[in-house]
Amino acid sequence: MTSPHLRPATPNDLSSVEAVIQAAYQPWISVIGARPGPMMDDHAQAIAAGQVTVLEGQGRIEAILVLIPLPDAMLLDNVAVAPDAQGKGHGAQLMRLAETRARQSGFDRLRLYTHEKMAANIALYQRAGFTITHRVTERGLNRVYMEKPLGQPDP
């Protein structure tokens, strides 16, 4: 068994990146009554912009991270783990990477949003130190925006 490996996504990874996102978000369609935003994003563009990191394990891409620098914060645009790879700590590893990259890029906070009906995700992010900043409707989706101030890295 090989340990997970992180690397920037390449154009050759597009189908695998999309497969992970589709599988990870599919269960949420019935909860929110629509396809979640990440299922509709332009992943080829995000890969070309250098915004996507993949986590490889077991000889395939098991998880992805999309980070987008904004003027005032690093946007954690997407963390997705393939359903059959969940429970291995991949999500936590990618969240730590997001914080590290945000700090390295000079940001003092990490921002994200999720659908208001994704209560489990909201609770998970709150346990990770995020607080709700506001709610909006974008692209026809009711979103909850959250931020986490980035102090010094955890020991």
Side-chain angles (χ1 to χ4, degrees):
M1 182 190 299
T2 60
S3 62
H5 170 71
L6 294 166
R7 64 171 177 78
T10 69
N12 291 336
D13 296 322
L14 179 60
S15 63
S16 295
V17 166
E18 289 184 335
V20 167
I21 292 167
Q22 295 299 314
Y25 286 94
Q26 185 70 32
W28 291 106
I29 293 174
S30 62
V31 174
I32 67 174
R35 292 176 66 213
M39 295 177 87
M40 299 179 282
D41 289 344
D42 183 344
H43 305 111
Q45 185 279 327
I47 290 170
Q51 299 169 338
V52 183
T53 298
V54 297
L55 184 150
E56 289 181 312
Q58 305 299 311
R60 67 185 178 95
I61 293 173
E62 291 188 325
I64 64 101
L65 171 68
V66 180
L67 293 174
I68 301 172
L70 301 174
D72 63 339
M74 180 68 80
L75 177 65
L76 189 145
D77 190 57
N78 194 355
V79 175
V81 180
D84 63 351
Q86 292 176 3
K88 297 180 180 182
H90 295 339
Q93 181 178 0
L94 291 173
M95 292 292 286
R96 287 190 302 274
L97 177 63
E99 291 184 22
T100 298
R101 292 229 177 113
R103 282 188 198 95
Q104 289 171 341
S105 297
F107 294 106
D108 64 357
R109 62 191 140 161
L110 199 56
R111 179 177 298 142
L112 61 80
Y113 56 85
T114 190
H115 194 281
E116 70 180 5
K117 290 186 179 178
M118 293 181 168
N121 287 359
I122 293 169
L124 178 128
Y125 295 133
Q126 287 177 317
R127 287 191 303 275
F130 286 83
T131 57
I132 296 172
T133 60
H134 62 285
R135 297 169 185 263
V136 297
T137 300
E138 296 173 324
R139 295 171 65 184
L141 300 169
N142 296 324
R143 293 179 169 164
V144 176
Y145 273 78
M146 305 178 82
E147 284 189 355
K148 179 179 183 177
L150 299 175
Q152 295 302 312
D154 295 330

